[in-house]
């Protein structure tokens, strides 16, 4: 299948032509959430970014297998397997079973992503559902000589690995710098090398989540789950591996090492990393407490917020930035995005109110379409796509205002164009009428009452209807075809 897609590959640090392994199929793995607390808006940004990528690949005609895991075991507080188990700690705090924690936050995660109109992945595997695959992979890594066991815990041998492979291939950091930034081993340590990380961890007596394995009753390290699950569902090598930028240095670096040590191949050809959502310049994160919950943003119920915004306006806000740029969160930026989003939705609604004429005048949709594809083909550049769409908004408004014309064929093309780019690719739809899906009927009732008032020369009532509608953002326009309405 032909495509013109170019994407930025973290591993080569440049944009590359996208050539999937199988010509008409794409395998994509994205690291999913650790479900021990509510997802914050930063997490959502990453998943919305990959939703855009998924949608565009589907639009191009690829059969995409999109695997996004749920981390429900093995994630300790420190990325380098130190500290408490996140699930056990939260379970103690909330007096729940660890699996109740997992269930609660998995449901919450799905609910939020549904509000953001993200498509579900093709497969959503869990770490706890793939313990045997992880054990098999660890066995293979030991057999290949890249891991060792100490007192029931298995470590990946980074020193051995670097003799043959490049451990910093993803980040391009210097190995000495990495070593200098890593804590020196103390007498208590079981690891041989400072950079070694755990593949299997022997459970302490109080640890609840535990499984039998050849080395001990214990639990898997965080990094091995993604290697085992991507290998199972996408093969030893697949097309795209993604996640937030914060995962590249440790989690993805270790995933590459595990796959090389097990299968002698790097798992993914293209590594894609989304940039962070920041608040006043600082990364939004669960641990630093500056994380907005999506619900707080929808209701406006947060000290830093002046008002609430609809999920689609927030999605639009995210897509107005390129996925590799940081996006800073502020009331002003959200307000501006909300206005832009309403303008876009309003133009789409106007398409159903335009009466076609004999000829189309004054614009070339094909040129705009070309620019839109060029934007998306250039590493999924949604801000440029949105700028092009505002050109279309200007055209629609000018037709509606009678300043230019469009014929039936042109109108149908325009509708299909907006459906492709706004609804299917950007995943945006008008959620302002949520709960009032009979808005058109409702407006007809009001317009009929106003018309009767006018006929009865009761202009006080007809003017009042117009003014009160205008104050809630609905504009009436009298034309030869009757009274039309639209949102301002
Ligand atoms: P976690 O649940 O912490 O494992 O994170 C889930 C996903 O969200 C990962 O791909 C992270 O890289 C990503 N992520 C975490 N914080 C942010 C942020 N502030 N902005 C964008 N993505 C983030
Ligand atoms: Zn992962």
């Amino acid at each position: 299948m032909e495509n013109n897609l170019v994407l930025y590959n973290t591993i080569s640090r440049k944009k590359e032509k996208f050539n999937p392994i199988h010509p008409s199929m794409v395998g994509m793995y994205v690291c999913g959430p650790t479900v021990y607390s509510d997802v914050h808006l930063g997490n959502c940004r990453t998943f919305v970014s990959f939703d855009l990528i998924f949608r565009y690949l589907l639009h191009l005609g690829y059969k995409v297998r999109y695997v996004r895991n749920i981390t429900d075991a093995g994630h300790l507080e420190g990325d380098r397997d130190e500290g408490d188990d996140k699930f056990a700690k939260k379970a103690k705090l909330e007096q729940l079973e660890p699996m109740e924690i997992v269930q609660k936050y998995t449901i919450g995660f799905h609910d939020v992503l549904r509000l953001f109109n993200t498509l579900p992945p093709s497969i959503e595997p869990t770490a706890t559902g793939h313990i045997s695959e992880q054990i098999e992979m660890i066995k293979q890594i030991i057999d290949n000589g890249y891991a060792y066991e100490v007192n029931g815990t298995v470590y990946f041998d980074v020193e051995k690995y670097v003799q043959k492979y490049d451990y910093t291939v993803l980040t391009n950091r210097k190995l000495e710098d990495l070593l200098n930034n890593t804590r020196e081993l103390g007498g208590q340590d079981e690891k041989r090398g400072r950079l070694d990380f755990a593949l299997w961890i022997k459970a302490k007596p109080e640890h609840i989540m535990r499984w039998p394995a050849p080395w001990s009753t214990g639990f898997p390290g965080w990094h091995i789950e993604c290697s085992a699950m991507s290998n199972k569902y996408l093969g030893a090598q697949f097309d795209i591996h993604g996640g937030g930028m914060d995962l590249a240095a440790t989690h993805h670096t270790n995933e590459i090492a595990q796959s090389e040590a097990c299968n002698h191949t790097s798992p993914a050809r293209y590594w894609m990393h989304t940039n962070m959502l920041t608040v006043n310049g600082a990364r939004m994160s669960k641990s630093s407490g500056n994380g907005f919950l999506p619900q707080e943003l929808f209701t406006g119920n947060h000290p830093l917020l002046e008002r609430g915004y609809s999920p689609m306006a927030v999605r639009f806000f995210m897509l107005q930035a390129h996925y590799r740029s940081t996006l800073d969160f502020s009331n002003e930026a959200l307000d501006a995005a909300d206005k832009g989003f309403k303008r876009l939705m309003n133009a789409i609604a106007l398409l159903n109110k335009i009466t076609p004429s004999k000829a189309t005048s004054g614009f070339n949709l094909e040129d705009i379409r070309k620019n839109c594809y060029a934007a998306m083909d250039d590493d999924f550049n949604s801000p440029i796509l949105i700028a092009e769409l505002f050109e279309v908004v200007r055209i629609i408004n000018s037709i509606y205002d009678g300043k230019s014309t469009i014929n039936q064929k042109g109108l149908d093309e325009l509708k299909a164009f907006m459906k492709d780019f706004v609804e299917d690719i950007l995943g945006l739809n008008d959620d302002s009428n949520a709960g009032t899906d009979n808005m058109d009927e409702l407006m007809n009732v009001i317009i009929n009452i106003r018309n009767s008032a006018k006929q009865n020369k009761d202009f006080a009532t007809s003017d009042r209807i117009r003014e009160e509608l205008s104050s809630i953002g609905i504009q009436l326009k009298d034309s030869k075809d009757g009274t039309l309405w639209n949102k301002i």
Side-chain angles (χ1 to χ4, degrees):
M1 227 173 80
E2 273 299 299
N3 78 64
N4 297 315
L5 183 59
V6 162
L7 52 82
Y8 184 87
N9 192 350
T10 312
I11 220 158
S12 64
R13 283 164 280 282
K14 54 178 192 270
K15 287 186 190 169
E16 289 178 25
K17 173 95 185 61
F18 178 60
N19 290 318
I21 297 168
H22 306 286
S24 60
M25 288 191 270
V26 177
M28 175 162 88
Y29 187 93
V30 172
C31 292
T34 307
V35 284
Y36 72 104
S37 66
D38 290 309
V39 283
H40 61 66
L41 210 64
N43 305 131
C44 294
R45 180 184 186 204
T46 284
F47 299 124
V48 165
S49 297
F50 282 104
D51 185 57
L52 172 78
I53 290 165
F54 182 35
R55 283 169 177 274
Y56 190 58
L57 291 169
L58 290 173
H59 177 83
L60 291 180
Y62 287 106
K63 189 168 183 297
V64 187
R65 182 177 295 165
Y66 172 23
V67 182
R68 187 185 66 206
N69 69 303
I70 296 273
T71 296
D72 60 351
H75 199 167
L76 301 185
E77 280 178 320
D79 278 353
R80 289 204 168 265
D81 39 80
E82 282 146 12
D84 284 338
D85 174 291
K86 289 183 171 180
F87 300 95
K89 196 169 172 193
K90 196 62 184 275
K92 223 182 268 167
L93 210 67
E94 295 196 16
Q95 294 189 322
L96 294 171
E97 270 289 318
M99 271 300 153
E100 282 181 289
I101 295 288
V102 165
Q103 182 74 1
K104 177 177 165 185
Y105 293 112
T106 302
I107 291 173
F109 170 65
H110 287 153
D111 287 348
V112 166
L113 284 199
R114 204 172 304 116
L115 285 173
F116 280 122
N117 198 29
T118 63
L119 299 174
S122 328
I123 305 177
E124 198 170 39
T126 61
T128 56
H130 296 77
I131 299 291
S132 60
E133 286 82 354
Q134 296 177 70
I135 291 175
E136 285 312 307
M137 193 160 194
I138 297 170
K139 277 190 199 161
Q140 189 65 53
I141 297 174
I142 296 175
D143 285 352
N144 291 353
Y146 291 100
Y148 56 91
E149 184 217 321
V150 185
N151 299 330
T153 292
V154 181
Y155 292 100
F156 189 93
D157 191 342
V158 178
E159 253 166 60
K160 174 83 187 293
Y161 181 77
V162 297
Q163 289 168 15
K164 187 161 172 210
Y165 299 98
D166 181 359
Y167 185 61
T168 58
V169 62
L170 198 56
T171 51
N172 205 22
R173 287 216 218 142
K174 286 209 177 76
L175 200 61
E176 300 142 62
D177 292 348
L178 254 186
L179 278 166
N180 290 339
N181 285 330
T182 311
R183 181 179 67 78
E184 277 192 45
L185 293 181
Q188 305 288 323
D189 279 296
E190 293 171 338
K191 297 181 196 185
R192 291 185 198 152
R194 251 191 269 182
L195 296 175
D196 296 358
F197 56 92
L199 299 174
W200 185 264
I201 301 158
K202 181 182 174 180
K204 292 190 185 124
E206 67 275 14
H207 200 100
I208 317 169
M209 295 172 92
R210 49 169 67 218
W211 293 266
W215 317 284
S216 65
T217 295
F219 57 97
W222 171 35
H223 317 300
I224 195 74
E225 68 169 272
C226 289
S227 295
M229 294 190 283
S230 62
N231 186 51
K232 172 161 176 146
Y233 296 111
L234 297 169
Q237 196 179 53
F238 50 93
D239 299 302
I240 299 175
H241 193 311
M245 248 168 71
D246 55 321
L247 299 185
T250 305
H251 183 55
H252 291 163
T253 290
N254 290 346
E255 268 191 58
I256 294 176
Q258 291 165 159
S259 291
E260 289 277 16
C262 179
N263 301 322
H264 308 292
T265 171
S266 181
R269 307 208 332 188
Y270 303 90
W271 284 84
M272 298 185 71
H273 289 101
T274 53
N275 213 325
M276 298 289 108
L277 183 70
T278 55
V279 186
N280 298 324
R283 183 191 139 194
M284 184 179 281
S285 79
K286 288 175 197 168
S287 46
S288 60
N290 65 353
F292 275 98
L293 297 186
Q295 283 307 337
E296 291 168 335
L297 188 57
F298 303 153
T299 56
N301 200 356
H302 189 282
L304 282 179
L305 285 171
E306 282 159 18
R307 66 181 180 94
Y309 299 88
S310 80
M312 284 295 101
V314 179
R315 182 176 170 112
F316 180 81
F317 163 70
M318 292 176 179
L319 295 175
Q320 264 192 322
H322 186 246
Y323 78 88
R324 281 192 295 117
S325 315
T326 52
L327 174 61
D328 199 51
F329 181 92
S330 71
N331 282 291
E332 297 72 38
L334 270 166
D335 259 348
D338 191 44
K339 284 205 185 83
F341 175 65
K342 286 195 173 122
R343 246 165 37 98
L344 183 62
M345 287 301 117
N346 188 37
I348 291 173
L350 287 184
L351 283 174
N352 289 324
K353 297 180 183 171
I354 285 173
T355 323
S357 57
K358 284 226 167 60
T360 295
S361 69
F363 71 94
N364 183 344
L365 189 60
E366 285 323 300
D367 281 350
I368 298 176
R369 192 194 306 275
K370 256 188 230 144
N371 295 344
C372 290
Y373 278 116
M376 286 305 287
D377 282 340
D378 183 13
D379 197 24
F380 308 95
N381 202 322
S382 52
I384 293 191
L385 167 62
I386 290 172
E388 286 294 331
L389 292 176
F390 277 108
E391 187 53 31
V392 182
V393 167
R394 206 185 50 73
I395 292 165
I396 295 174
N397 288 337
S398 99
I399 298 171
Y400 183 73
D401 291 340
K403 290 181 194 135
S404 59
T405 59
I406 191 163
N407 64 17
Q408 185 65 55
K409 183 166 168 281
L411 185 59
D412 292 343
E413 277 169 9
L414 206 49
K415 284 184 186 172
F417 171 90
M418 290 305 250
K419 184 181 176 306
D420 277 353
F421 282 97
V422 179
E423 216 176 287
D424 294 351
I425 295 175
L426 292 177
L428 295 168
N429 55 45
D430 191 354
D431 58 355
S432 63
N433 291 337
T436 53
D437 44 10
N438 50 356
M439 186 77 177
D440 276 319
E441 284 115 309
L442 211 61
M443 285 307 299
N444 281 342
V445 171
I446 298 173
I447 288 169
N448 287 341
I449 295 173
R450 176 169 169 268
N451 287 346
S452 321
K454 267 174 44 180
Q455 269 164 16
N456 298 334
K457 304 218 172 336
D458 177 4
F459 297 116
T461 302
S462 68
D463 286 350
R464 185 172 156 207
I465 290 175
R466 173 197 284 280
E467 278 154 25
E468 291 201 5
L469 283 175
S470 162
S471 75
I472 58 164
I474 294 174
Q475 190 177 45
L476 295 182
K477 187 175 159 194
D478 295 314
S479 77
K480 60 179 183 345
D481 302 315
T483 305
L484 302 171
W485 67 273
N486 65 278
K487 291 198 206 128
I488 320 164

